[in-house]
Amino acid sequence: MPTYATTEQALHATTPDVVSINTYPDTHFALVRQSLLAGAHVFVEKPLATTVAEAEALVELAQQQQRKLVVGYILRVHPTWNQFVALAQTLGKPLVMRMNLNQQSAGRHWYTHRQLLRSASPLVDCGVHYVDVMCAMTGAAPSTISAIGVNLSADVDPAMYTYGQLQVRFQDGSVGWYEAGWGPMMSETAVFIKDVIGPKGAVSIIDDVQNGSQDIAGHTHTGGLRIHHAALDADGQFARPDEVLPTPTEPDHDALCLLEQQFLLDAITHNHDLTDHLRSAVTSLRIVLAADEAVRTGQTVML
């Protein structure tokens, strides 16, 4: 296989129809821009860029070039998570959304996290997935962002943080929090919370596999959806028992990646309008970058 000194040389020599970018976040803007200018459709792992201005510039460039640009929000193609969002929308308003993805890591996993921490915090890198879900659940614009964060490792730049939690308020009165921490110091006892609460009850994703938070497949695996009904009967007791919807045939991580590829292929083949997809990608990035600012300044950020 030939090697090329620069990305531009590789793009010129191979003239690809599609480029897939699965690098660290601080390289995304340049690689996506070069690929779009070369006339390729692009799949890029989240986040789209490291600033909102860069993300907006890439969206505008994709539109100018009439190329498809898809951001790798794997939860968007996950059938159980889509059902989770749909059920959340039946719970009334406002909503309370609680989600986390703490990851205890060692060996090669901690090495990967340390490399990621050179360009993105856990709140930014993983948070874009979960605030995107929150935005889909509420259908409302975010209004304020608060956040806390702390560096728990001497192996990481002191200016970065290995643990963070953000709190977001939406214009419809809904609120949500997302928590993420990486490293060998993280606890395995609080690694899976994914639920949403509304006036009519709650929906939670059940975790029935305990393979440890380093297991990549476990990050998207679900053991079912638990539906809680808040309605009370004449005696003040719950009128209906909780329901559990099983998810026995959900895709594994590789199958989800294939679904992402199919999403891009369909968009190219059928010329699907990806405006909403890209608008959501920019909005979720705006939220997590505001959370990053809140961590560093100690101030609530108005959106």
Side-chain angles (χ1 to χ4, degrees), residues 34 55 68 72 141-142 182 187 191 204 209 238 244 253 267 273 275 303:
Q34 291 163 0
K68 301 304 180 184
W182 297 341
S187 166
V191 298
S204 305
V209 176
F238 289 118
V244 175
H253 189 269
D273 185 355
T275 299
L303 293 176

Side-chain angles (χ1 to χ4, degrees), residues 202-279:
V203 180
S204 305
I205 292 180
I206 301 170
D207 178 24
D208 65 348
V209 176
Q210 298 293 332
N211 292 329
S213 60
Q214 294 190 95
D215 176 29
I216 299 300
H219 295 171
T220 56
H221 174 84
T222 72
L225 292 168
R226 187 180 189 93
I227 304 173
H228 169 66
H229 304 280
L232 303 177
D233 61 21
D235 296 324
Q237 303 301 312
F238 289 118
R240 298 173 60 185
D242 286 3
E243 303 172 58
V244 175
L245 302 181
T247 55
T249 59
E250 68 169 13
D252 61 16
H253 189 269
D254 288 344
L256 287 170
C257 292
L258 181 60
L259 286 172
E260 287 185 309
Q261 296 171 42
Q262 188 63 54
F263 178 83
L264 174 58
L265 179 60
D266 287 345
I268 296 169
T269 304
H270 302 292
N271 193 29
H272 291 323
D273 185 355
L274 297 179
T275 299
D276 288 343
H277 173 84
L278 293 172
R279 183 184 297 116

Side-chain angles (χ1 to χ4, degrees), residues 41 61-68:
H41 303 285
L61 180 59
Q63 293 169 340
Q64 291 173 352
Q65 296 291 104
Q66 297 184 345
R67 299 290 88 182
K68 301 304 180 184

Side-chain angles (χ1 to χ4, degrees), residues 16-252:
D17 294 319
V18 179
V19 173
S20 180
I21 299 169
N22 305 275
T23 55
Y24 292 118
D26 56 356
T27 64
H28 288 180
F29 174 74
L31 293 176
V32 172
R33 184 176 183 277
Q34 291 163 0
S35 300
L36 289 172
L37 289 173
H41 303 285
V42 176
F43 172 88
V44 57
E45 262 301 343
K46 50 81 182 171
L48 175 56
T50 57
T51 71
V52 172
E54 288 181 347
E56 291 175 333
L58 292 177
V59 171
E60 182 178 357
L61 180 59
Q63 293 169 340
Q64 291 173 352
Q65 296 291 104
Q66 297 184 345
R67 299 290 88 182
K68 301 304 180 184
L69 173 60
V70 169
V71 185
Y73 284 4
I74 203 166
L75 299 181
R76 277 181 165 262
V77 299
H78 196 304
T80 304
W81 278 83
N82 286 333
Q83 190 176 16
F84 185 36
V85 171
L87 288 169
Q89 294 170 343
T90 70
L91 299 176
K93 293 287 189 74
L95 296 175
V96 175
M97 296 159 288
R98 313 188 311 145
M99 302 182 194
N100 76 351
L101 184 60
N102 291 315
Q103 297 177 58
Q104 186 183 93
S105 59
R108 63 184 178 87
H109 297 288
W110 178 224
Y111 173 81
T112 299
H113 281 151
R114 293 201 310 273
Q115 306 316 303
L116 277 168
L117 285 162
R118 293 180 176 179
S119 59
S121 71
L123 286 184
V124 172
D125 182 76
C126 288
V128 286
H129 273 303
Y130 294 93
V131 298
D132 183 58
V133 170
M134 292 181 192
C135 290
M137 286 178 167
T138 66
S143 56
T144 67
I145 309 293
S146 302
I148 53 175
V150 65
N151 184 2
L152 299 172
S153 174
D155 296 333
V156 174
D157 186 331
M160 181 54 78
Y161 54 95
T162 61
Y163 169 87
Q165 186 193 69
L166 64 81
Q167 305 88 38
V168 54
R169 292 179 180 271
F170 292 87
Q171 290 182 3
D172 66 351
S174 297
V175 296
W177 63 256
Y178 174 71
E179 174 192 59
W182 297 341
M185 75 296 292
M186 293 304 299
S187 166
E188 284 277 31
T189 64
V191 298
F192 196 96
I193 302 172
K194 280 90 177 176
D195 61 22
V196 55
I197 306 161
K200 298 179 182 179
V203 180
S204 305
I205 292 180
I206 301 170
D207 178 24
D208 65 348
V209 176
Q210 298 293 332
N211 292 329
S213 60
Q214 294 190 95
D215 176 29
I216 299 300
H219 295 171
T220 56
H221 174 84
T222 72
L225 292 168
R226 187 180 189 93
I227 304 173
H228 169 66
H229 304 280
L232 303 177
D233 61 21
D235 296 324
Q237 303 301 312
F238 289 118
R240 298 173 60 185
D242 286 3
E243 303 172 58
V244 175
L245 302 181
T247 55
T249 59
E250 68 169 13
D252 61 16

